[in-house]
Amino acid sequence: MKAPPLPLAEAQSRLLALAPSLPVEHRSVAECLGHYLAEDLLARRTQPAAALSAMDGYAMRSADLPGPWRVIGESAAGHPFGGEVGPGEATRISTGAILPKGADMVLLQEDSARNGNELSLTGEPPQPASRHVRAAGMDFSSRETLISAGSRISPAQIALAIAGGHSHLPVRRRVSLAVIDSGDELVPPGHLPDLHQLPASNGPMLCAMAASLPVDIRHAGPVADELAELVRALDAANSSDIIVTSGGASVGDHDLVRPALEAVGASIDFWRIGIKPGKPLLVATRGSQIILGLPGNPASAFVTAYLFMLPLLRAMLGASAPLPKAIPARLAEPLAQGGSRMEFLRAIWDGASVRLDPLQDSGALSPLSRANALAVREAGAEAKPAGTDVPIYLLENGGIA
């Protein structure tokens, strides 16, 4: 008797448990965008290292308010004042310059008037006195954790790491991924198909989804529905960390992914999950290699890649939270009751409410291209009126973030 499809959460957990821990390497900060930090990153310095002015104006002692003052020099960014500010004295100061010794306040230039070296108050003094002063260590202190292990490295984190004194970061090595799409009906991109054929769009779509991560991608196909051809393609990808196939994972006479995997010595870990679209997902291993057999319908391939391929890649790269996170969104229209499987419906979220695309066929690409979210309808869920919430997954940057 055929085993029932696995629940989504169980299938994801089983897949991620297979993810090997890739070796750590130290890469130049400039090469680390999109990687996940392998270890906590500690600051090697304090920022600011000394108190700085946040504005252009004059540095002085707050005890000398309301003035007047005598200007005795200047502190500019990169060129600090070498002396000390005493009673009744001030220095000209620019944004980012070190606050001179003895000063604890910056008076804005628009709140002052200067005649030669004589300075007087014309506006309101800062409240509190330290308002325009960036205290030493305001941003971070030496030995403080700047970025936690498992965090994805963004442009802002690259800047933070450099500010913290780092030129190289510990990250996992890049994942090698082979994408194989198969089917006698497929023709390469750019070839106009006959009536019985289709352009091979899944492989490039899957490669594009993976390209947002530090992954080295090889694409093969379309491969004919012949066991020997599929075995040859799998053997050619023997050195890849992950193989992702598209099509041929179901139980039809021409669905040859399972027998091909058996022929190359792979072991099936699980097959079929309780979601729509995407039920005939297959997961296998060959040594340390993980093989994902995705369905051939484009919406099914996209959804399963979003829920399984991308989380697997993130896990292997060291992400602390590899699975996508759902958020609640208000329905703009009623949602019918659910069926026997959890559904991922192509939808458009406008920031306030979510509207389902009227075309939900798993073979249709136009609703997938319009969608910026996947709305979740749980198995057996009751009908929901407009205005109630459903979970959605945001497809930022086309579902690749």
Side-chain angles (χ1 to χ4, degrees):
M1 183 177 177
K2 189 184 296 183
L6 286 179
L8 174 64
E10 181 181 348
Q12 288 175 319
S13 178
R14 284 178 60 166
L15 174 64
L16 296 185
L18 298 174
S21 181
L22 298 179
V24 175
E25 55 189 25
H26 287 75
R27 285 181 170 265
S28 165
V29 174
E31 298 176 332
C32 289
L33 180 66
H35 280 266
Y36 293 86
L37 198 65
E39 304 163 6
D40 287 348
L41 192 71
L42 305 184
R44 300 176 61 191
R45 56 179 295 274
T46 294
Q47 180 156 306
L52 305 178
S53 176
M55 303 291 285
D56 290 337
Y58 294 89
M60 68 259 305
R61 303 179 341 145
S62 58
D64 293 338
L65 284 169
W69 301 268
R70 182 171 62 90
V71 179
I72 61 171
E74 180 180 7
S75 183
H79 302 279
F81 179 69
E84 181 175 350
V85 172
E89 294 178 336
T91 64
R92 178 77 170 136
I93 196 165
S94 57
T95 302
I98 290 179
L99 200 69
K101 185 177 180 181
D104 64 352
M105 184 189 90
V106 173
L107 178 66
L108 299 184
Q109 59 185 24
E110 53 264 39
D111 292 326
S112 62
R114 181 174 175 178
N115 182 13
N117 287 332
E118 298 302 316
L119 183 71
S120 59
L121 178 68
T122 59
E124 294 295 323
Q127 295 293 334
S130 61
R131 179 179 177 184
H132 305 307
V133 176
R134 295 171 180 158
M138 175 198 71
D139 198 355
F140 54 81
S141 299
S142 179
R143 307 301 301 168
E144 181 181 335
T145 298
L146 293 177
I147 310 171
S148 298
S151 300
R152 192 172 188 197
I153 300 168
S154 66
Q157 289 176 324
I158 286 176
L160 177 61
I162 293 172
H166 295 275
S167 62
H168 290 73
L169 301 179
V171 296
R172 303 285 173 184
R173 73 154 171 83
R174 295 172 67 90
V175 179
S176 58
L177 169 70
V179 175
I180 303 170
D181 42 4
S182 64
D184 284 345
E185 76 279 15
L186 300 179
V187 297
H191 291 67
L192 291 179
D194 290 333
L195 291 178
H196 64 286
Q197 295 177 316
L198 287 171
S201 59
N202 280 0
M205 176 181 70
L206 298 173
C207 291
M209 293 175 76
S212 67
L213 294 165
V215 177
D216 296 322
I217 305 167
R218 289 181 53 214
H219 178 211
V223 176
D225 283 326
E226 297 178 15
L227 184 60
E229 291 296 315
L230 195 49
V231 167
R232 189 175 295 112
L234 291 171
D235 279 338
N238 187 52
S239 62
S240 298
D241 296 313
I242 302 172
I243 297 177
V244 175
T245 66
S246 171
S250 193
V251 292
D253 293 339
H254 301 284
D255 291 317
L256 300 176
V257 168
R258 292 190 70 184
L261 290 174
E262 293 169 1
V264 299
S267 300
I268 308 297
D269 190 275
F270 63 88
W271 174 57
R272 301 194 312 148
I273 51 172
I275 65 170
K276 180 181 179 181
K279 180 181 178 182
L281 174 85
L282 180 150
V283 173
T285 57
R286 177 170 56 170
S288 62
Q289 185 182 66
I290 301 173
I291 303 167
L292 296 181
L294 306 187
N297 280 323
S300 302
F302 182 93
V303 168
T304 49
Y306 181 82
L307 295 173
F308 289 90
M309 181 187 76
L310 292 183
L312 176 61
L313 290 171
R314 294 187 197 108
M316 292 179 67
L317 290 164
S320 57
L323 293 172
K325 301 293 184 185
I327 63 169
R330 183 176 299 114
L331 284 168
E333 56 196 2
L335 180 63
Q337 68 182 34
S340 60
R341 285 181 281 161
M342 176 188 287
E343 295 178 74
F344 291 84
L345 306 166
R346 278 67 75 203
I348 299 171
W349 185 66
D350 62 8
S353 61
V354 64
R355 186 180 301 275
L356 305 184
D357 196 285
L359 179 58
Q360 292 293 328
D361 190 282
S362 63
L365 275 168
S366 56
L368 190 58
S369 71
R370 289 189 291 265
N372 64 2
L374 295 174
V376 180
R377 178 162 53 191
E378 297 288 347
E382 296 181 357
K384 289 180 177 289
T388 55
D389 285 349
V390 294
I392 67 168
Y393 291 95
L394 295 180
L395 304 180
E396 298 178 12
N397 300 319
I400 61 177

